[in-house]
Amino acid sequence: MVSKGRGKANGSFELAGTPAHLMRRCNQFYGDLFARESGDKTLTKQQYLVLCALEHHEGVSQTALVDATGIDRSTLAEMVRRMLERGLLTRKRTEADARANAVAITPLGRRTLKAARLADEKAERALLEPLPPTDRSRFVKCLSLIAAAADAYVASEGAKPPRKPGSRRVVPRP
């Protein structure tokens, strides 16, 4: 059983012991490692994720990119705008829905992605380095299980009626 946080003798809460905080710190650490390895001049880690998602799903909508990357809609829209300006992406209205944008990776975007792959590989190796070698693949498997649970949760929420604006979603606790 996972506790919500590390309790101190005086009953106060210690943030450093929470899984959510630890995952956030790991994500920040990976971002720092990726920036160091990429020279902080080619792509951010989120831009890299967008290019990776587009590499195998050419011409998807920005909504599909939100789903694929986990980047929120407004942040993704701004990222796409900047990546368009840099010539990494193209965007056009879809034929099926004139309100939706289909986003595709350009040849320059493909070259930039290829160059960033080495930075990503080095950053991921450095991220896992503090773990004993025998635990690294198990750790990645555990993260995959959490990600699969998140996907299942989102899928099950999609079948429910939409919330009213301003209402709060109550998540049942096991």
Side-chain angles (χ1 to χ4, degrees), residues 3-155:
S3 67
K4 287 192 173 195
R6 216 181 249 174
K8 291 186 174 183
N10 65 3
S12 66
F13 178 78
E14 188 175 321
L15 183 63
T18 65
H21 177 71
L22 293 170
M23 287 189 292
R24 173 80 173 130
R25 291 296 316 257
C26 289
N27 188 43
Q28 289 172 327
F29 182 44
Y30 168 79
D32 293 344
L33 293 168
F34 182 84
R36 181 188 71 194
E37 294 299 335
S38 68
D40 225 2
K41 58 186 167 233
T42 53
L43 294 173
T44 66
K45 66 179 181 147
Q46 288 186 315
Q47 290 171 335
Y48 175 74
L49 288 175
V50 169
L51 291 179
C52 286
L54 287 171
E55 181 180 35
H56 300 292
H57 304 288
E58 193 76 20
V60 299
S61 70
Q62 285 185 215
T63 301
L65 276 177
V66 165
D67 294 340
T69 62
I71 300 169
D72 69 82
R73 187 178 302 274
S74 60
T75 300
L76 184 80
E78 179 60 23
M79 285 175 54
V80 167
R81 185 191 64 75
R82 282 186 258 126
M83 293 172 80
L84 286 164
E85 289 175 359
R86 290 181 54 200
L88 301 173
L89 303 177
T90 62
R91 178 175 61 189
K92 65 180 180 179
R93 297 285 180 194
T94 62
E95 292 178 18
D97 182 355
R99 297 171 296 162
N101 288 313
V103 183
I105 188 169
T106 65
L108 175 60
R110 288 188 189 284
R111 288 191 302 274
T112 303
L113 174 60
K114 185 177 179 183
R117 276 220 160 69
L118 182 60
D120 174 62
E121 291 169 8
K122 287 180 178 180
E124 285 192 355
R125 276 196 304 275
L127 178 70
L128 296 175
E129 192 174 297
L131 298 176
T134 55
D135 290 344
R136 293 173 188 168
S137 64
R138 184 168 182 228
F139 176 72
V140 173
K141 272 187 184 171
C142 289
L143 292 175
S144 295
L145 291 171
I146 293 170
D151 292 343
Y153 176 78
V154 168

